Amino acid sequence: MATDSASLYARIHELVRLIPAGSVATYGQLARLCGCSARQAGYAMAAAPDDVPWHRVINSRGEISPRKEGGESAQRGRLLDEGVTFDRRGRVDLGQVRWPGPSWAWLAANGYSVDGIE
DNA sequence: TAAATGACTAACA
DNA sequence: GTGTTAGCCATTT
C-alpha cells in the first residue's frame, strides 16, 4: 500500500483515466507528466484500481510489458476490443494510436505548468 | 537501516 | 535489427 506517495499514484491514475479508448500512452510519457521516473509509472499501474484503464499504458516500444503474471493477453484483448491494432510482432503503431497527452486546459486546471517546463 | 526488486527508458556498441 | 550499460526511485524484504 502506498504510504505518503499515494498522491503521486493518484496523479498517475488520474492521467491514465484521461486516455481515450483506442489510444495508448507510454510509461515514460506518464512519468514525465507526473514528474516521476518511468518505473514509478509501472508501479502505479500494478497498484491501479479497476476504474483506471491501465491496459492503455504500454512501454516505449509499443509493446505490452511482460510482468510476473500472464495478464499481458488480457491487456492485449482489451486494446483490441477498443480498436487498437497490433502488428505481427505484437506491437502497436505508436505513431497512429499514441495519446498526445492531456489538453493544455486540463494541465492548467490541475496545477501543471503549461510552459512544459516549470 | 541497508540491500534487493521492478508492468521503464535512453544511450551506446 | 539485437545486446549491453547506466540511470531512475518507490516498494519490498
Side-chain angles (χ1 to χ4, degrees), chain A residues 8-17 19 25-28 30-31 34 38-50 52-59 65 67 75:
Chain A
L8 176 63
Y9 277 21
R11 179 172 286 212
I12 298 176
H13 292 164
E14 185 140 25
L15 285 168
V16 175
R17 284 193 199 96
I19 306 173
T26 66
Y27 297 102
L30 295 174
C34 75
R39 290 198 180 218
Q40 271 48 266
Y43 253 96
M45 291 305 97
D50 289 339
V52 173
W54 49 267
H55 55 275
R56 295 180 189 143
V57 183
I58 58 180
N59 62 25
S65 294
R67 81 198 120 236
Q75 183 172 3

Side-chain angles (χ1 to χ4, degrees), chain A residues 26-117:
Chain A
T26 66
Y27 297 102
Q29 189 177 357
L30 295 174
R32 291 251 180 190
L33 287 168
C34 75
C36 65
S37 66
R39 290 198 180 218
Q40 271 48 266
Y43 253 96
M45 291 305 97
D50 289 339
D51 63 321
V52 173
W54 49 267
H55 55 275
R56 295 180 189 143
V57 183
I58 58 180
N59 62 25
S60 63
R61 296 182 197 163
E63 298 180 317
I64 308 289
S65 294
R67 81 198 120 236
K68 286 187 179 179
E69 301 182 14
E72 313 166 33
S73 49
Q75 183 172 3
R76 192 177 71 250
R78 283 172 182 259
L79 290 174
L80 283 171
D81 194 42
E82 293 182 351
V84 177
T85 58
F86 289 79
D87 66 7
R88 199 163 55 120
R89 286 255 244 36
R91 304 194 335 188
V92 305
D93 188 346
L94 282 178
Q96 241 4 114
V97 302
R98 190 177 199 203
W99 181 49
S103 65
W104 293 115
W106 188 93
L107 292 173
N110 285 270
Y112 286 82
S113 61
V114 180
D115 201 21
I117 304 170

